[in-house]
Amino acid sequence: MMDVMPNMKANARYAAKEASHERIVAAAARAIRRSGYDGTGVADIMKEAGLTHGAFYAHFPSREAMLAEAADRACAESAAVAADVVAGVPPGKALEAVLCAYLSKDHVEQMELGCPLAALGSETPRQAPEVRRTVTQHTKAMIDLLARQSPDWGQPGAHEQALVTIATMVGALLLARAVDEPALSDRLREAALKHLVPPGI
């Protein structure tokens, strides 16, 4: 009985630390997409997570380590959304469904929950190698997902078409968010969608 109590306390402390870590990473994943890497400060993240600034170093050795984990979480969330869209429609409609969801008005407006490639692409080259590695892996996974939904899957051009598709959809989303004219924002999305979803897909 004497041995059980310390173990229970240690397990409870570990579970509490894991829950706190989860809150920090979730807050940081939203913050980097909302405010960019440079606009994401440790103090603000800890406050949003309901923790003291001083508790930060119990979870991360540095701000860069937190940003890397936040980027990983943001990419995982984005990939999960795309996978859910694919799983929810018949195979022949998956590419169109992914593109329509990605280039939707809702996605334009929900930056802090959306694609980190569009929210952070211009900042990523100046980040730590671990952040860039995470973004590279996510980009490759998205290219693969798009290629597998292509009507030409298995043909030599499917991968190249997926490269063009992701470059177009990310660029269109970035610009649709950047401009201050709602009508132009809509036209950018709609034109990209029209180009990427040819008749009969």
Side-chain angles (χ1 to χ4, degrees):
M1 184 68 172
M2 296 293 289
D3 288 340
V4 172
M5 290 302 290
N7 285 342
M8 288 176 64
K9 287 181 180 177
N11 288 342
R13 280 195 303 271
Y14 178 79
K17 184 175 180 180
E18 285 295 297
S20 295
H21 190 88
E22 171 68 22
R23 290 202 311 275
I24 297 167
V25 174
R30 290 190 302 271
I32 60 173
R33 286 175 282 186
R34 179 181 62 238
S35 305
Y37 292 114
D38 291 343
T40 299
V42 169
D44 291 337
I45 295 304
M46 297 303 283
K47 183 177 179 181
E48 188 175 337
L51 300 163
T52 64
H53 189 173
F56 176 80
Y57 290 101
H59 295 275
F60 302 97
S62 66
R63 177 177 173 275
E64 288 70 27
M66 178 192 70
L67 293 178
E69 199 165 332
D72 187 56
R73 171 65 61 85
C75 288
E77 289 172 355
S78 182
V81 168
D84 286 348
V85 170
V86 169
V89 296
K93 293 289 184 183
L95 180 59
E96 180 180 2
V98 168
L99 293 170
C100 287
Y102 192 94
L103 291 169
S104 68
K105 194 173 184 80
D106 282 348
H107 195 190
V108 170
E109 294 170 351
Q110 296 178 349
M111 185 182 301
E112 73 175 32
L113 300 175
C115 175
L117 301 180
L120 298 162
S122 64
E123 289 186 56
T124 302
R126 294 183 291 280
Q127 300 310 307
E130 53 268 38
V131 172
R132 297 192 69 194
R133 174 56 25 201
T134 292
V135 171
T136 299
Q137 290 169 342
H138 176 60
T139 302
K140 290 166 76 173
M142 288 300 295
I143 291 165
D144 183 59
L145 181 139
L146 293 170
R148 284 185 280 115
Q149 311 318 314
S150 169
D152 298 328
W153 174 239
Q155 301 300 314
H159 186 262
E160 185 172 338
Q161 182 56 46
L163 293 171
V164 173
T165 298
I166 194 167
T168 304
M169 58 196 269
V170 170
L173 181 62
L174 188 155
L175 290 173
R177 287 174 172 168
V179 300
D180 67 355
E181 294 179 13
L184 177 57
S185 177
D186 289 344
R187 288 201 303 273
L188 285 161
R189 290 185 306 101
E190 290 160 5
L193 198 53
K194 183 179 179 181
H195 175 75
L196 293 173
V197 186
I201 193 171

